[in-house]
Amino acid sequence: MDAVSVWRIADWDLDVGTSDSGSIYKHQCMSCGQTSGAAVTADGPDVWCLRHAKRTGHTEFRGTVTTFFRASLAEGPR
Ligand SMILES: [Zn+2]
């Protein structure tokens, strides 16, 4: 029996937020490195920055948003 190779060329889609989890927000103080902790909205980390600034005088922060993606085979011809 001869070996047969089959090549399939397909298009793929990349979708945002198809996992069970939405985006995750987390802020970090640029002066001391303390972090807000992770949250499902930016509100909590934003308030943490304001409280941290009031308490420490540190005024610069970095925000990180983690977003989940899922790749899947595209349906139908393109
Ligand atoms: Zn700080």
Side-chain angles (χ1 to χ4, degrees), residues 8-74:
R8 180 174 169 213
I9 299 174
D11 291 324
W12 285 76
D13 289 331
L14 190 63
D15 297 313
V16 175
T18 55
S19 70
D20 291 338
S21 178
S23 296
I24 297 173
Y25 300 82
K26 188 175 183 181
H27 298 347
Q28 181 177 32
C29 176
M30 298 300 291
S31 297
C32 70
Q34 288 187 24
T35 61
S36 64
V40 295
T41 69
D43 295 345
D46 288 352
V47 170
W48 177 86
C49 290
L50 297 173
R51 289 180 178 159
H52 186 79
K54 180 180 178 182
R55 188 176 74 248
T56 63
H58 301 161
T59 56
E60 295 188 15
F61 300 90
R62 173 177 53 207
T64 303
V65 179
T66 301
T67 303
F68 298 92
F69 299 90
R70 181 182 305 251
S72 60
L73 280 171

